[in-house]
Amino acid sequence: MNFSIQSLYTWYRSTIRNPKYRWWLILGTAAYLFSPIDIAPDFLPIVGQIDDLALVTLLVSEVSQLLIDRYKARNGENPTETASAGETSTAGAGTIDVDAATIK
């Protein structure tokens, strides 16, 4: 079985974006955080808090992105464009082909 942090992140992100499983994943994450049973027990200094901190960070970032997308959709903006104020969005601008040159 090939396991990586990236595959876990991809699974978590796609699952939380699925409305059918979203609340189950949020509740499961909260249950894991408050449960005394962890991958790394909390009584171990620093190591015990790393898995909890990583999971909280992932949950907060994904839920906040869902809320931002919902806010943008409600206001008629395109939720896939993430350019902040003052930045120029390159959505739909096409691809720019650049040739590399060696400087001697």
Side-chain angles (χ1 to χ4, degrees):
M1 181 173 160
N2 188 9
F3 175 78
S4 70
I5 298 296
Q6 182 63 37
S7 65
L8 182 65
Y9 171 75
T10 303
W11 173 83
Y12 194 92
R13 185 176 180 148
S14 64
T15 305
I16 204 164
R17 292 184 181 277
N18 184 340
K20 184 177 179 182
Y21 302 112
R22 180 176 301 146
W23 286 109
W24 287 109
L25 192 61
I26 291 171
L27 291 174
T29 302
Y32 177 81
L33 293 173
F34 293 112
S35 171
I37 301 170
D38 280 347
I39 292 173
D42 290 337
F43 64 83
L44 297 173
I46 300 174
V47 176
Q49 285 77 30
I50 288 177
D51 65 330
D52 292 341
L53 183 63
L55 203 55
V56 166
T57 304
L58 183 60
L59 179 66
V60 168
S61 68
E62 291 303 318
V63 169
S64 64
Q65 187 62 45
L66 286 170
L67 292 173
I68 289 169
D69 289 347
R70 179 175 286 174
Y71 175 77
K72 285 182 178 181
R74 185 172 285 172
N75 289 336
E77 298 175 26
N78 187 356
T80 58
E81 291 182 18
T82 57
S84 58
E87 290 183 359
T88 304
S89 176
T90 57
T95 304
I96 299 174
D97 188 18
V98 179
D99 292 327
T102 305
I103 300 175
K104 294 183 183 182

